[in-house]
Amino acid sequence: MNMLTQQDTPIRKALEEQRHNRLAHFDVPGHKGGRGNKELRDFLGEECMRLDMNSMKPLDNLCHPVSVIKEAQELAAEAFGAKKAFFIVNGTTAAVQAMIMSACKAGEKVIMPRNVHRSAINALVVNGAIPVYINPGTNKQLGIPLGMSVEDVKKAILENKDAKAVLVNNPTYYGICSNLCEIVKLAHQYHMLVLADEAHGTHLYFNEDLPVSAMAAGADMAAVSMHKTGGSLTQSSILLTNNNVNSDYVRQVVNLTQTTSGNYLLLSSLDIARKNMVLNGAEMIRKTLGFSSYAREEINKLGGYYAFGEELIDGDMVYGFDTTKLSVHTRNIGLAGIEVYDLLRDDYGIQIEFGDIGNILAIISAGDRNLEIERLIAALSEIKRLHQKDKAGLFDHEYIPPHIIMGPQQAFYSRKVSMPIEKSEGRICGEFVMCYPPGIPILAPGELITRDVLNYIQYAKEKGCFMTGTQDMKIENICVVEES
């Protein structure tokens, strides 16, 4: 590796050299450094446009890296304690799908919690692997899905010894972690790979006061959403692999779906963000923890709200809690999370990550400022004073255990008919229905449509959740598997 250190950023260096070498560009992109699109250049800035280059020998090639991208990926692997790292420019969705598609073939089983991101079930639709779902625990007070119990994982493994892999959320969107070390031990006893969806866990690698990271726990692959909490540009991500995995095969699988036109703005941002996290991550996360801890305490003093944290830890379904997450339960003030989300944005100019039917989530980072934290706390206080009402009639749970009738691929590609959602009870769903964010399906292809699920969908629509997944953009009709 030419004696590179974590201080180096090989992709950035190569880009800067190209920018200054006065090349005449008879290659793509056609905007030619912004000269061909003045409005876009003025909007994004000349530097940005000139750095938007195509693969060429001095810049390496993302599909088959042999020089600067290879070096940057090696530095990332070292930073995250992995054997190999792959830069992903199709979002963490592509990293999750590459994990599943390289661990399982059509017809093979993968054990996973049902509260996975849609990207995991999308992978099953594409490659034909079969899910063995573990229902996560549920916190009755908060109505949120928790982690997987080790006992439930053990039971699923013993009943499905032919499964190829176990997928774990580390952490969930709300900050909840399963006992990853024990799950890894169990899975490895039965020669199964452990895949970690760390879309919300990049920072776990850079501070010892947080729950264990996937690579430190011995997991075989991890999808790390560098853009969420690691400081890179939106859509950039890293796929990590460990010793049990044929990384050259993983690269082939990544190349089945990843673009051949790797965006160098995204790639260089991964390079620079990795350096920043290695050099400054521990201190940045300490600052983040200070912000989130202060906000949690102040919000809990307001009454009515419940900003939950490490007190949920029970050694099992909540084995660890990521305290950088500011998750706040809102139902006791008589408002759904999505209603508080809308009020914060529309009346107070505050954009949070998401609101669901019982909670809101604010993503805190070292990029925040004291003034903004105080604005959030004050706004929540005002919302309570102005809008608090009786909580009667509010839904009290986020998670509904699914009834699986057929595999996701079989259902998605089956002959389907479209019908009004309210008349679909008892039919087999042929598509997805979800609130976004967080993008966890309420219904996935192959699942039975029950009255419980229909009531939830209707309630979420009434409260203003952003619903996605169906062919019908208005979410009034649903495609169901045609009855024979």
Side-chain angles (χ1 to χ4, degrees):
M1 195 204 286
N2 304 335
M3 300 305 291
L4 291 179
T5 73
Q6 291 295 331
Q7 302 268 1
D8 290 301
T9 49
I11 297 175
R12 172 195 182 161
K13 185 181 175 198
L15 268 178
E16 286 182 329
E17 286 171 359
Q18 288 312 304
R19 189 178 56 180
H20 295 307
N21 72 1
R22 297 175 60 84
L23 275 182
H25 275 284
F26 294 101
D27 60 349
V28 296
H31 61 66
K32 303 294 171 103
R35 295 195 305 268
N37 190 337
K38 183 178 182 303
E39 185 178 356
L40 186 60
R41 183 189 69 203
D42 292 346
F43 181 62
L44 292 181
E46 191 172 338
E47 289 298 291
C48 174
M49 297 296 282
R50 288 177 65 197
L51 288 171
D52 183 33
M53 300 184 202
N54 190 37
S55 291
M56 59 178 90
K57 229 173 185 176
L59 293 181
D60 206 357
N61 187 300
L62 184 59
C63 297
H64 193 93
V66 294
S67 60
V68 293
I69 295 176
K70 179 174 181 281
E71 290 170 347
Q73 290 184 157
E74 286 170 354
L75 287 170
E78 180 182 76
F80 284 89
K83 185 186 176 192
K84 294 278 184 182
F86 298 91
F87 283 5
I88 305 290
V89 294
N90 287 25
T92 307
T93 287
V96 169
Q97 291 173 350
M99 285 198 304
I100 292 171
M101 289 161 64
S102 54
C104 309
K105 299 181 182 67
E108 294 180 339
K109 295 177 188 171
V110 54
I111 296 167
M112 59 172 67
R114 176 56 180 76
N115 60 322
V116 288
H117 187 259
R118 68 173 293 177
S119 57
I121 304 177
N122 282 350
L124 307 180
V125 169
V126 173
N127 91 326
I130 304 296
V132 175
Y133 289 129
I134 293 176
N135 286 325
T138 304
N139 180 298
K140 293 286 191 288
Q141 178 194 359
L142 302 174
I144 61 170
L146 304 175
M148 295 187 291
S149 136
V150 171
E151 276 309 304
D152 287 347
V153 175
K154 187 173 187 178
K155 182 170 181 284
I157 287 173
L158 292 174
E159 288 173 1
N160 300 274
K161 290 182 183 173
D162 54 343
K164 297 297 178 185
V166 179
L167 185 138
V168 187
N169 293 318
N170 193 52
T172 69
Y173 224 137
Y174 299 99
I176 289 159
C177 296
S178 302
N179 187 346
L180 190 54
C181 292
E182 276 305 305
I183 291 170
V184 167
K185 268 189 220 164
L186 255 177
H188 286 176
Q189 277 173 28
Y190 291 88
H191 310 291
M192 296 178 193
L193 296 175
V194 176
L195 320 176
D197 181 347
E198 289 190 310
H200 301 282
T202 305
H203 52 294
L204 301 184
Y205 288 85
F206 301 101
N207 188 289
E208 291 175 359
D209 295 328
L210 295 172
V212 70
S213 68
M215 290 295 108
D220 301 291
M221 287 191 262
V224 174
S225 201
M226 198 67 170
H227 72 91
K228 286 191 175 74
T229 58
S232 65
L233 290 177
T234 294
Q235 201 177 311
S236 59
S237 184
I238 299 177
L239 174 58
L240 304 172
T241 65
N242 235 330
N243 294 322
N244 280 350
V245 175
N246 176 349
S247 55
D248 290 317
Y249 176 64
V250 172
R251 175 171 43 79
Q252 288 182 319
V253 172
V254 167
N255 285 339
L256 291 175
T257 54
Q258 172 140 277
T259 177
T260 54
S261 304
N263 184 300
Y264 278 90
L265 297 170
L266 299 184
L267 292 171
S268 60
S269 82
L270 284 171
D271 204 14
I272 295 164
R274 179 268 314 153
K275 174 186 173 182
N276 188 39
M277 290 305 284
V278 170
L279 299 184
N280 307 309
E283 182 51 44
M284 288 164 60
I285 293 163
R286 266 196 296 277
K287 186 178 175 186
T288 305
L289 289 168
F291 281 150
S292 57
S293 171
Y294 171 75
R296 194 174 287 113
E297 286 170 22
E298 293 300 310
I299 290 166
N300 284 333
K301 283 180 195 168
L302 298 175
Y305 297 106
Y306 174 31
F308 48 92
E310 288 179 306
E311 72 282 354
L312 295 186
I313 292 173
D314 61 8
D316 187 25
M317 289 178 180
V318 189
Y319 190 77
F321 188 85
D322 171 12
T323 47
T324 67
K325 300 278 188 297
L326 184 60
S327 303
V328 184
H329 188 60
T330 64
R331 203 170 56 241
N332 290 334
I333 65 163
L335 295 176
I338 186 64
E339 292 174 310
V340 175
Y341 170 101
D342 286 339
L343 286 166
L344 283 169
R345 188 194 59 245
D346 296 343
D347 295 356
Y348 298 91
I350 294 172
Q351 179 65 54
I352 57 170
E353 178 67 8
F354 80 82
D356 56 32
I357 62 173
N359 305 275
I360 58 171
L361 173 67
I363 297 289
I364 309 289
S365 86
D368 289 310
R369 294 173 295 190
N370 286 311
L371 178 65
E372 289 158 343
I373 302 289
E374 294 293 357
R375 268 183 71 187
L376 174 61
I377 296 162
L380 289 173
S381 176
E382 276 280 283
I383 286 169
K384 182 193 170 200
R385 185 174 67 80
L386 296 172
H387 301 280
Q388 182 171 15
K389 55 180 187 275
D390 192 322
K391 68 175 182 178
L394 288 187
F395 248 62
D396 65 353
H397 57 285
E398 287 293 334
Y399 179 73
I400 301 169
H403 297 273
I404 314 299
I405 309 297
M406 62 175 64
Q409 185 183 63
Q410 184 188 354
F412 188 84
Y413 290 113
S414 66
R415 288 174 67 89
K416 293 179 285 198
V417 292
S418 179
M419 66 190 310
I421 279 189
E422 68 271 12
K423 293 182 178 172
S424 65
E425 184 178 356
R427 301 296 293 267
I428 300 167
C429 187
E431 55 188 1
F432 290 92
V433 183
M434 70 205 94
C435 300
Y436 191 86
I440 297 164
I442 301 164
L443 272 173
E447 294 177 2
L448 183 69
I449 302 172
T450 63
R451 178 46 50 192
D452 251 6
V453 166
L454 292 176
N455 289 343
Y456 183 103
I457 291 169
Q458 183 58 37
Y459 181 82
K461 283 171 71 175
E462 284 170 7
K463 289 297 182 186
C465 290
F466 182 62
M467 309 289 286
T468 71
T470 52
Q471 283 186 31
D472 174 17
M473 293 290 283
K474 294 179 181 171
I475 327 287
E476 289 168 356
N477 295 300
I478 191 166
C479 289
V480 299
V481 176
E482 191 172 87
E483 292 178 334
S484 52

